[in-house]
Amino acid sequence: MTDEQQQAITHLRELVQMERAEERKLHLDIIQAMPLTRRVEKGYSWYPLQVIQSGYGIGGRPTVTVQREGEESHQFRAGTSVNLFSTQPMVKSPQRAGVIKYVKKNRMKIILGGEDLPDWLQNGGVGVDLMFDERTYVEMDRALQRLESAKGRLKELRDVLMGIRPAEYRPVAPEEVTHLTELNPSQQRAVAHILGADHLALVHGPPGTGKTTTLVAAVGELLQTENQILFCTPSNSAADLVALRLTNRGHKVVRIGNISRVEEEVMRLTLDQQIAEHPDTQQVKKLRREAADIRKKAKRARGRDKGLLFRDAGQLSGWAKQLEDRLLDYLIDSAEVIVCTLVGAAASMLDKREFRTCIIDEAAQALEPATWIPILKANRVVLAGDPYQLPPTVKSRKAEKGGLSVTLMEKCLAREITQDDERQYALLEVQYRMNERIMGYSNAHFYGGQLRAAEMVAQRSLPGVPLAESVVFIDTAGTGFEEKLHPRFQSRYNDGELNVMVEHLLDLRGLTPPEEPLPSIAVITPYREQVRVAEDLFDAEERLAGMELAVNTVDGFQGRERDVVYISLVRSNEKGEIGFLADYRRMNVALTRAKKYLIVIGDSATVGQDPFFAGFLEYVEKQGLYQTAWEYMR
């Protein structure tokens, strides 16, 4: 390994520790310092809970399913570390660490540590606290350590991904992929690029260009010569979606790890469910129940009997584990595609497995150290994503300044783009979501005008809305609609913009014939407090009754789309400060969610001082409809 590589890996390890320390501090100093009632109010705890089911899952790990009253917003997600606790007095060991298997509305399933279920589960006073998750950081650091001592094929792959040696490709003739008639030519070229890559394939998929569709088609081609493929994503929700898409394509999939959706069609793909449905599982469960019963007796016994009982329980648990390990190997061996998150690739059942190809979707949203976790198990890697959409979340500003938010895909793309020889990455060039006017500014600013709208969507707009007016900017300059800062949450909102939006929504409803269903509508904004204010306003506004509005932050709406999208920019101040509106990648996401009609509301006097927004305002004047908020102040 060169000195340059050693320095890069050491630096990455330091950045991981910075991020780890920042998250630990956030959890211990802020969350754990709150009283229980406050944690519940802020969504960091669920309490009180009803235990509705308990038992044992893979590896004999105890599982508990709990339920709460109400469905208020919360911070719990699949894969999150939690602490199950009891507030009952005189309870011995009233806490047990665990990991969330899934969350669905007011119900949560938790996989607990230890061998047995807590004996206080049915006594009432049960709650769940959000905990600091060390595992992600442990696995990232472990992957970087392994990189330092890489040998053989892994060393080759490391050197290619770090720019020490060039990636190798074999030409794939166009006729080898033309049978994929469901793909357009640029998608077919991307599949050919993947098939011809010896070390690394890069697939750049801008919004709406069918990136996942292309990757799923590539899986089918790869399986002609490979027995099994590892397919990873940064998030559980993305992994669930990919697992469904692959299954619908006819591939045999095993979804490993925590799931964020619990619909039956996702659940049946999980390793847990496939084990549960296998006949041998009944014997495993029987052995585990017997072992648990003997351990309970052992805890009450004394003298020599205590040791003998624990020995017998250990033997039964050992037999159960052997039987289950064989079953796990069988199910994993029989799968064509293993789907998991990046950190999920560190699961013990994949420890000794090696894959010819690892595909990483949404790679431009993944921290580089996490990306290396599945790469360690592969001979070649496919990185797919879009570096002009949202970057990975980094909590430590010091780590972010040090480069932790720069992804491995960005680094690899930057090297390819700056090379003088033929481009060694695939760009998906046709988008199927937006009409050409909605697509135009994003295409010019981020993608050098290389994209084109598919024929089926290029001229599409809402009934009653001319194509030339399908992009609207409503200017609030001079209205006095200044931004406000919530004193407690330190998040900004602008109720004046929302009042303008209500009037525009009413006009929109008037465009829709009574016999026709309303178009799908989303309201998105960069600021969480604006989401909260918008939801309250829309619920209270009787004139909007019957209109279904999806309200979310830009970050929360990535990967989604609607016929009509309203964007509330919020910022309006005399200093011209725009805060994190200056993260243009976030604005790229916002501007590319609408299919037929995009309405942006903001203060040109504030945002127009920024070159990106100045360019957008100029674009709307030429290619859309520029209005003032005065037209809606009735």
Side-chain angles (χ1 to χ4, degrees):
M1 184 165 59
T2 66
D3 290 343
E4 182 184 353
Q5 285 177 297
Q6 181 64 65
Q7 289 171 7
I9 294 173
T10 300
H11 181 59
L12 270 179
R13 292 185 65 188
E14 290 170 353
L15 295 177
V16 168
Q17 295 312 314
M18 288 178 199
E19 181 73 356
R20 185 183 199 171
E22 181 67 22
E23 190 167 350
R24 183 188 288 116
K25 181 183 176 188
L26 173 71
H27 184 81
L28 295 178
D29 293 357
I30 299 177
I31 298 175
Q32 286 301 301
M34 295 178 185
L36 177 56
T37 53
R38 183 83 170 121
R39 294 200 305 273
V40 171
E41 179 187 329
K42 295 284 284 182
Y44 297 123
S45 298
W46 279 16
Y47 179 86
L49 297 174
Q50 178 187 359
V51 177
I52 59 174
Q53 191 175 11
S54 60
Y56 295 88
I58 293 177
R61 292 172 292 180
T63 64
V64 176
T65 304
V66 295
Q67 185 171 287
R68 64 168 180 165
E69 294 292 330
E71 296 181 10
E72 294 82 8
S73 61
H74 58 83
Q75 307 294 325
F76 295 93
R77 302 289 182 269
T80 303
S81 292
V82 294
N83 184 44
L84 187 71
F85 64 86
S86 171
T87 59
Q88 292 292 333
M90 308 301 290
V91 171
K92 188 178 180 182
S93 302
Q95 298 184 9
R96 183 73 71 83
V99 175
I100 297 175
K101 181 66 181 173
Y102 64 75
V103 182
K104 183 178 183 181
K105 294 185 178 178
N106 62 342
R107 185 173 292 191
M108 180 191 302
K109 183 173 183 179
I110 306 166
I111 303 170
L112 297 175
E115 292 185 321
D116 298 318
L117 290 160
D119 53 14
W120 40 261
L121 280 178
Q122 304 301 331
N123 296 344
V126 174
V128 175
D129 272 334
L130 191 70
M131 295 298 290
F132 170 56
D133 185 6
E134 294 272 2
R135 178 175 174 251
T136 298
Y137 297 102
V138 169
E139 296 299 348
M140 287 195 292
D141 189 64
R142 185 176 293 159
L144 293 174
Q145 287 183 63
R146 281 196 58 195
L147 265 193
E148 291 177 324
S149 56
K151 295 183 176 124
R153 180 64 180 183
L154 179 58
K155 179 181 180 299
E156 271 186 42
L157 194 52
R158 179 197 69 191
D159 291 349
V160 167
L161 289 165
M162 296 186 77
I164 302 300
R165 60 177 287 174
E168 295 176 16
Y169 298 87
R170 70 169 182 86
V172 173
E175 55 267 23
E176 290 189 44
V177 292
T178 50
H179 63 281
L180 298 171
T181 53
E182 75 277 20
L183 302 185
N184 65 50
S186 71
Q187 291 172 326
Q188 290 179 352
R189 287 194 295 272
V191 173
H193 173 66
I194 291 170
L195 296 177
D198 189 47
H199 299 97
L200 168 67
L202 293 168
V203 179
H204 183 183
T209 54
K211 170 174 54 63
T212 303
T213 297
T214 304
L215 296 178
V216 169
V219 166
E221 298 305 296
L222 291 168
L223 286 172
Q224 302 298 315
T225 56
E226 300 175 34
N227 294 325
Q228 196 171 70
I229 291 166
L230 179 63
F231 201 125
C232 298
T233 68
S235 69
N236 280 297
S237 57
D240 293 345
L241 178 62
V242 162
L244 286 173
R245 295 282 296 274
L246 288 164
T247 301
N248 293 338
R249 182 88 177 190
H251 299 304
K252 189 166 184 184
V253 174
V254 168
R255 168 77 167 90
I256 288 177
N258 305 297
I259 58 170
S260 57
R261 305 178 185 204
V262 288
E263 288 87 351
E264 184 56 38
E265 58 180 351
V266 178
M267 188 68 81
R268 66 188 172 86
L269 304 178
T270 65
L271 189 58
D272 304 62
Q273 187 71 17
Q274 293 184 39
I275 286 176
E277 293 173 354
H278 196 279
D280 288 354
T281 298
Q282 293 307 313
Q283 181 62 22
V284 174
K285 286 183 175 179
K286 181 182 175 185
L287 290 169
R288 291 230 163 89
R289 280 195 301 268
E290 290 176 4
D293 289 342
I294 293 173
R295 275 194 297 272
K296 287 180 183 177
K297 290 178 185 176
K299 290 174 184 176
R300 296 192 297 267
R302 295 183 179 179
R304 186 167 177 268
D305 287 345
K306 191 179 190 77
L308 292 172
L309 286 168
F310 273 121
R311 182 201 65 187
D312 293 344
Q315 286 180 339
L316 289 172
S317 294
W319 293 338
K321 188 174 188 315
Q322 287 177 17
L323 183 57
E324 186 176 66
D325 285 347
R326 286 200 296 270
L327 181 54
L328 281 171
D329 285 340
Y330 167 75
L331 290 172
I332 293 174
D333 285 343
S334 63
E336 292 179 312
V337 191
I338 305 295
V339 178
C340 60
T341 63
L342 301 173
V343 177
S348 58
M349 67 270 297
L350 298 181
D351 269 351
K352 297 178 181 176
R353 292 183 178 267
E354 188 175 289
F355 300 86
R356 171 74 181 96
T357 303
C358 168
I359 298 175
I360 300 177
D361 198 3
E362 306 296 358
Q365 290 182 51
L367 293 174
E368 180 179 348
T371 308
W372 284 108
I373 297 172
I375 292 175
L376 296 177
K377 301 179 183 299
N379 287 326
R380 69 172 167 184
V381 62
V382 179
L383 298 177
D386 181 11
Y388 301 117
Q389 295 189 62
L390 290 177
T393 301
V394 178
K395 297 182 178 68
S396 166
R397 289 195 175 183
K398 191 175 179 183
E400 185 174 18
K401 286 181 180 178
L404 188 58
S405 61
V406 181
T407 66
L408 184 60
M409 181 174 186
E410 286 178 87
K411 292 177 181 179
C412 292
L413 269 175
R415 283 194 296 270
E416 294 296 344
I417 290 171
T418 56
Q419 286 180 358
D420 294 330
D421 56 1
E422 186 178 351
R423 183 178 78 192
Q424 292 289 5
Y425 71 94
L427 173 68
L428 304 182
E429 299 169 353
V430 182
Q431 69 82 21
Y432 296 88
R433 175 184 298 156
M434 301 157 272
N435 70 40
E436 60 188 14
R437 298 296 178 99
I438 295 173
M439 178 189 79
Y441 186 64
S442 173
N443 184 28
H445 187 88
F446 294 99
Y447 307 107
Q450 296 179 85
L451 307 184
R452 68 181 187 277
E455 217 173 282
M456 65 182 76
V457 303
Q459 306 290 313
R460 182 177 66 180
S461 64
L462 281 187
V465 178
L467 179 68
E469 297 180 4
S470 57
V471 180
V472 180
F473 183 78
I474 303 176
D475 194 350
T476 66
T479 60
F481 294 160
E482 291 203 348
E483 67 191 65
K484 298 166 187 172
L485 180 67
H486 193 288
R488 187 172 64 180
F489 301 125
Q490 293 296 296
S491 182
R492 298 176 193 275
Y493 64 102
N494 190 320
D495 44 12
E497 288 187 2
L498 295 175
N499 290 327
V500 171
M501 192 182 298
V502 167
E503 298 303 324
H504 194 283
L505 279 163
L506 293 171
D507 287 353
L508 175 63
R509 182 158 64 182
L511 289 173
T512 308
E515 68 278 5
E516 294 288 328
L518 287 169
S520 58
I521 305 170
V523 174
I524 60 177
T525 174
Y527 291 91
R528 186 165 297 281
E529 184 61 18
Q530 183 77 334
V531 170
R532 189 192 66 78
V533 174
E535 288 175 334
D536 290 346
L537 175 64
F538 297 155
D539 286 343
E541 179 54 76
E542 294 180 359
R543 294 179 298 167
L544 296 180
M547 294 188 81
E548 289 189 18
L549 306 175
V551 185
N552 211 330
T553 61
V554 177
D555 298 48
F557 212 74
Q558 177 153 347
R560 299 163 68 185
E561 60 186 31
R562 288 293 188 275
D563 293 327
V564 180
V565 170
Y566 289 85
I567 303 172
S568 173
L569 297 178
V570 176
R571 300 308 296 259
S572 176
N573 56 74
E574 292 181 357
K575 296 180 180 179
E577 294 176 347
I578 65 171
F580 60 72
L581 289 187
D583 182 348
Y584 303 147
R585 289 178 297 185
R586 179 172 274 107
M587 292 315 304
N588 187 33
V589 172
L591 294 171
T592 55
R593 300 305 98 195
K595 295 193 285 185
K596 302 175 183 178
Y597 197 21
L598 172 67
I599 306 96
V600 182
I601 304 175
D603 181 351
S604 65
T606 299
V607 303
Q609 297 180 45
D610 177 89
F612 174 83
F613 287 99
F616 176 70
L617 298 179
E618 185 179 339
Y619 175 82
V620 176
E621 286 184 311
K622 293 178 180 177
Q623 300 290 335
L625 177 64
Y626 196 107
Q627 297 182 304
T628 71
W630 294 104
E631 298 175 48
Y632 296 93
M633 294 170 68
R634 300 160 184 165

